[in-house]
Amino acid sequence: MTARVRYAPSPTGIPHVGNIRTALFDWLFARHSGGSFIVRVEDTDQARFDPNALEAIYASLRWLGLDWDEGPEVGGDYGPYVQSERLEHYAKFAKQLIDQDDAYECFCSTERLAELRAEQQKQKQPPRYDRHCRELPDDERAARGAAGDKPVVRFKTPDEGTISFDDAVRGHVEFETATIDDFVALKSDGFPTAHLAHVVDDHLMEISHVLRGEEWVSSTPRQILLYEALGWTPPTFVHMSVILGPDRAKLSKRHGAVSVLDYRDQGYLPEAMFNFLGLIGWSLDDHTVLMSREQFIEHFSLERMGKNPAVFDLERLTWMNGAYLRELPEERLTALFTERLERDLPADAERPIDRDVVRRLVPLVRERVKKLDELAEMTAGFFSDELPYGPDELLGKKFRDDRAGATAALTAAHGSVEALAGWDHAAIEVAMRALADDLDVKAGALFMLLRVAMTGRAVSPPLFESMELLGRERCILRLANARDTIK
RNA sequence: GGCGCAUUCGUCUAGUGGCCCAGGACACCGCCCUCUCAAGGCGGAGAUCGCGGGUUCGAAUCCCGCAUGCGCUACCA
């Protein structure tokens, strides 16, 4: 079976991770079946349209490598793929519904509708349209139209019967049509509602599977009504659960970063985000956690989709990102790091960033970094000679009450570094350990003093590798500076 | 108010009648390794499977009720 699957974003805001996760599953299902992944822009809400949203949507998909076979920018045989360019289709089928007496024009004002709703709420009645215009005489309808009133088109929902469908993850779902009111299919501005637009486009574009968020479950019977009235066969529906914030409320801006682009900017890798999102609401087995995109494509299946809402666990994502960072080829890491440092390092760092230094830095920091935005802070000492420490940081606990000892140690280290025959980390380590012996100081204490002197921080990449990379001249300079700060 | 969906360690999840007094991963704790921090190795703690009834020799798994959460109930999607 080759599926035709669509991702139908609505450009009303920056898409958050939950939304992009449905795109990921759409894509995975399409790729697994060898079918097509289609992007269709649902810009039918003119009031909420946000031009920036579209770019963010495309950027999010591209960043994760979710390429589409049909849609905006790539075209396809079923276009256009932007709903605002397909208005004539919706108008045509809306008219057909009216002609076959499955729909009618309604002239009720939004004010009347609002009052009606308020009244029903007060009476503890389910809010629903009272069908005021359903039996409007033809001449009155014509008169309203002639007077310039713009009607909406409402569907004539049957009073009796049940609508059911078999959801690929939820199973059999059933609704009484009596609980569904005469919903709007075409708005007065000529744009369709999502119900009509979904049905018309999914049919015309020959979509085989509709994978979407579970907030659509309740709308599905309305859409099935439309399919039946139009004489079409509905696709297979697959409703996937939503993603929640840590407080179990639906994920929103309140929870911090919610767009995948935010995570990209913080230094998460697309492959980590892909893996992480792919394992929310889907699993391979009882133990696999790290999976490549090829494995996802090979094994993805609707049967293994879960149905419960899931909390977005940032710590898990961060761990996973670290795992990917550790596995990345050195070349790619070097490129990634260089780009990042170019951007994040303070102005006093030497520019352009020395790619060769970065290359040698990679093995020292790759397993210490979980997100790329930690990199600049961690490696600043290799690109700038202004180290952020004072006497207190330099002396630390061990030399707090022994300035003379610290000064002696730094002086001795200075001499030892100058006298060293070679310059590699193994030789440096041998020399420094010997020095600790001579000074009758614990190696750990000496090393911490040197660490701060060399890198400016109590937490750093391995000391001797760092010194090797810094070079003898700079090390000598830094030892002298350290001595000066505690003079 | 009505309708619908969901409910396994703090979190993501495995589990489709006996292999489960429930497995993996993140986070947490301890030990080992170690020049700091990580990474890695080993181990630990953590779930009366939302609650209550059934069915069955046997239930996390099947049935019924309840509770809770979420969604829809818009000329939003």
Side-chain angles (χ1 to χ4, degrees), chain A residues 137-198:
Chain A
D138 285 347
D139 55 341
E140 189 172 337
R141 219 185 288 274
R144 298 286 295 263
D149 287 0
K150 295 280 184 227
V152 300
V153 176
R154 284 186 185 272
F155 186 79
K156 276 192 182 177
T157 304
D159 291 318
E160 294 177 351
T162 61
I163 296 289
S164 69
F165 61 97
D166 291 297
D167 190 289
V169 345
R170 268 150 237 281
H172 192 75
V173 183
E174 212 168 78
F175 294 81
E176 301 283 333
T177 47
T179 63
I180 304 167
D181 68 352
D182 286 359
F183 60 89
V184 174
L186 198 70
K187 304 185 234 179
S188 57
D189 62 2
F191 280 70
T193 60
H195 305 304
L196 215 218
H198 271 181

Side-chain angles (χ1 to χ4, degrees), chain A residues 60-76:
Chain A
S60 300
L61 295 178
R62 292 211 168 93
W63 183 61
L64 283 176
L66 308 182
D67 55 324
W68 53 101
D69 308 300
E70 296 172 32
E73 302 187 356
V74 305

Side-chain angles (χ1 to χ4, degrees), chain A residues 186-259:
Chain A
L186 198 70
K187 304 185 234 179
S188 57
D189 62 2
F191 280 70
T193 60
H195 305 304
L196 215 218
H198 271 181
V199 170
V200 168
D201 287 345
D202 286 339
H203 176 259
L204 258 25
M205 294 179 181
E206 298 179 27
I207 300 303
S208 63
H209 298 255
V210 170
L211 281 77
R212 61 184 9 170
E214 74 170 325
E215 67 269 22
W216 289 97
V217 172
S218 304
S219 307
T220 307
R222 275 179 279 230
Q223 295 173 13
I224 289 177
L225 249 13
L226 251 14
Y227 276 105
E228 289 177 348
L230 262 4
W232 300 336
T233 310
T236 299
F237 292 103
V238 188
H239 289 102
M240 57 184 102
S241 55
V242 294
I243 296 188
L244 274 20
D247 56 358
R248 295 219 144 253
K250 203 174 161 187
L251 198 63
S252 74
K253 285 229 167 34
R254 230 160 30 75
H255 297 107
V258 290
S259 159

